[in-house]
Amino acid sequence: MTTATGIRETGHARFTFRLRVSSTALSALLDEADRCRWVWNQCVATSRAAHRSGEKCGPAGLDRMLTGWRAGHEWLGAGGSVPQQQAVRDFAASRAKALKDIKARLPLRRRAGMPRLKKKDRTDPSLNYTRRGFRLKDGRLYLAGGIALTVVWSRRLPSDPSSVRVYRDSLGHWYASFVVRAETLPLAGTGEAIGIDWGVRDLATTTSDAHDLPHPGPGKKAADRLARYQRMMARRMPGRGQAASKGYRTSKRQAAKAHKKAVRQRQDTARKWAKQVVRDFDRLAVENFRPKFLAKSTMARKAADAAIASAKSELINMARKHGRIVHLVDPAHTTMDCGRCGARTKHALPLSERTYTCTACGAVSPRDKNSARVMLVRAGLDPAGADRGRLGGPPVRPAA
């Protein structure tokens, strides 16, 4: 069985800060975003034309086309070349991922779609700059093209940033997300291991009762308020070709605030829980669960509110930050195997059956608790119960 290694090397981390944007800087940012959006849409059109004619459309060719576009359009050449080049690279990466999924014959529900056109009224501005496109001086962020932004420094950067993404969220707030090399901050060892199983009724069920994470449900609490704002938007929906009214813009902003509050509550809950788990355990056996299929089930709304993928990402990032060892366990048959003796049931258990009873050894335990113990056994972290466990089961890999 493949074992995981400790994640103790220096890695990359993102540090995001709020920006104070003047009217002059706002106008310049929006103009720059319009240029990058035009470049993206040109890449989409070029890619589609190349597909129809059977020609190749790689990043090198798009870079050469960008040089011609800048020379042929004065308004495009007036903008910075760095964010436009990054727009081309982002497009190329997105297209390459879609083509890779098609070549691998992945099911449609798992494929990354081909890049699409960006519409001005449905796309929030986002600009990417490499090191030669920005600088930090006297606490301010200076972008190529003479754009000066005031950063609200809530904490210090651990090292000089290698890139920055300047973007606007749904509330109209601007942020700067810096990419830096962050060193690992190791915690004191405990010698303990934990198994984690993801779910919908309980977001995370672990082998330690004190570290279970119940479903927080912030979306359910905000549902009534959000529905009211969405009805207001529907009544004030502008007609085709008409400008949105003040009432529509106000209700849209209120709906966005409700969404943002629920997102921040989920993130805060997941981070606090992840910090507690990482502080108390050295080794983590985590179910490598991909909850995308739940979006087409009867549990779609509750699964979306649980945000399992976000909680899993927070846990892995927190473990990487503090040098803990993470094992990602394949979820196949984890609800069918016994966490004590390794016996497997002959049929899959229905979701309504929440108690696991082993017909071989007679062990009785809550279904999710048994699955969490199976994570430990498969990762080789529970020697006492691994004498008859299925150690040769699905692969376990490190969360690198």
Side-chain angles (χ1 to χ4, degrees):
M1 179 184 64
T2 306
T3 58
T5 57
I7 306 171
R8 304 183 185 279
E9 68 277 5
T10 301
H12 291 85
R14 285 190 175 273
F15 287 75
T16 303
F17 303 90
R18 181 80 176 269
L19 294 175
R20 304 298 183 193
V21 183
S22 65
S23 58
T24 303
L26 176 60
S27 178
L29 284 174
L30 293 178
D31 289 344
E32 201 70 77
D34 286 342
R35 297 186 185 99
C36 291
R37 182 173 52 83
W38 186 89
V39 170
W40 175 279
N41 290 342
Q42 282 295 107
C43 291
V44 173
T46 302
S47 173
R48 291 176 178 177
H51 176 70
R52 288 192 297 267
S53 60
E55 299 176 356
K56 293 184 178 181
C57 181
L62 292 175
D63 275 334
R64 290 191 295 269
M65 290 183 183
L66 176 60
T67 303
W69 295 337
R70 288 176 57 83
H73 299 81
E74 184 178 353
W75 61 272
L76 185 63
S81 61
V82 173
Q84 296 174 20
Q85 289 173 347
Q86 291 303 114
V88 171
R89 288 176 173 83
D90 292 342
F91 170 83
S94 178
R95 183 176 183 271
K97 178 63 171 64
L99 293 177
K100 180 181 178 181
D101 290 349
I102 294 174
K103 187 176 180 180
R105 297 180 179 275
L106 292 180
L108 290 177
R109 65 180 182 275
R110 292 178 55 191
R111 292 183 188 177
M114 293 293 288
R116 299 181 179 181
L117 296 173
K118 292 184 177 180
K119 296 184 178 181
K120 184 175 183 179
D121 59 340
R122 297 187 180 182
T123 305
D124 288 322
S126 178
L127 303 168
N128 293 321
Y129 292 85
T130 55
R131 196 67 187 96
R132 63 188 182 92
F134 75 96
R135 63 189 176 95
L136 294 172
K137 183 179 179 181
D138 298 330
R140 304 193 74 193
L141 173 63
Y142 293 88
L143 304 177
I147 305 175
L149 305 171
T150 301
V151 184
V152 182
W153 297 105
S154 57
R155 50 184 171 171
R156 296 183 60 184
L157 292 174
S159 60
D160 292 334
S162 59
S163 64
V164 64
R165 182 169 75 95
V166 178
Y167 66 94
R168 188 184 69 188
D169 68 358
S170 58
L171 298 179
H173 300 158
W174 287 86
Y175 295 88
S177 181
F178 297 94
V179 176
V180 300
R181 293 188 64 84
E183 295 184 355
T184 301
L185 304 175
L187 295 173
T190 64
E192 301 292 331
I194 188 172
I196 300 173
D197 176 75
W198 304 111
V200 175
R201 189 180 66 176
D202 292 323
L203 180 54
T205 303
T206 71
T207 51
S208 170
D209 293 340
H211 294 81
D212 290 347
L213 179 61
H215 192 302
K220 184 178 181 180
K221 298 175 184 177
D224 293 340
R225 185 170 66 254
L226 181 60
R228 176 158 53 91
Y229 294 139
Q230 289 175 339
R231 287 194 297 268
M232 293 169 61
M233 289 176 59
R235 289 195 299 268
R236 296 166 173 79
M237 181 72 68
R240 188 177 182 87
Q242 296 180 350
S245 65
K246 182 179 179 180
Y248 177 82
R249 293 195 302 270
T250 301
S251 56
K252 182 179 179 180
R253 180 178 176 82
Q254 294 294 338
K257 287 180 67 175
H259 273 297
K260 180 68 75 171
K261 181 177 180 179
V263 170
R264 287 171 173 167
Q265 287 175 334
R266 293 188 195 102
Q267 188 180 58
D268 181 69
T269 300
R271 285 181 176 176
K272 289 178 179 177
W273 171 77
K275 183 71 174 183
Q276 181 184 10
V277 171
V278 169
R279 184 178 60 245
D280 296 341
F281 298 92
D282 293 346
R283 296 163 295 169
L284 287 67
V286 182
E287 180 185 11
N288 193 19
F289 185 58
R290 296 179 177 87
K292 188 175 181 180
F293 74 94
L294 291 175
K296 297 182 179 180
S297 69
T298 57
M299 300 180 291
R301 178 175 295 183
K302 192 170 184 179
D305 193 14
I308 298 175
S310 178
K312 173 186 168 186
S313 177
E314 292 291 347
L315 179 63
I316 293 176
N317 290 337
M318 190 68 69
R320 180 182 292 112
K321 176 181 177 181
H322 295 293
R324 298 310 200 192
I325 300 176
V326 179
H327 301 259
L328 296 180
V329 182
D330 192 294
H333 309 298
T334 52
T335 60
M336 300 171 64
D337 289 356
C338 177
R340 178 171 298 179
C341 70
R344 177 172 298 174
T345 60
K346 296 182 179 180
H347 62 279
L349 302 180
L351 288 176
S352 59
E353 189 173 339
R354 306 311 303 173
T355 301
Y356 182 92
T357 303
C358 181
T359 57
C361 66
V364 179
S365 64
R367 173 182 178 142
D368 294 337
K369 286 289 183 181
N370 177 73
S371 297
R373 183 171 173 81
V374 171
M375 304 299 164
L376 278 179
V377 174
R378 289 191 180 179
L381 302 181
D382 189 14
D387 53 342
R388 296 174 61 190
R390 290 178 176 266
L391 294 179
V396 179
R397 65 181 182 85

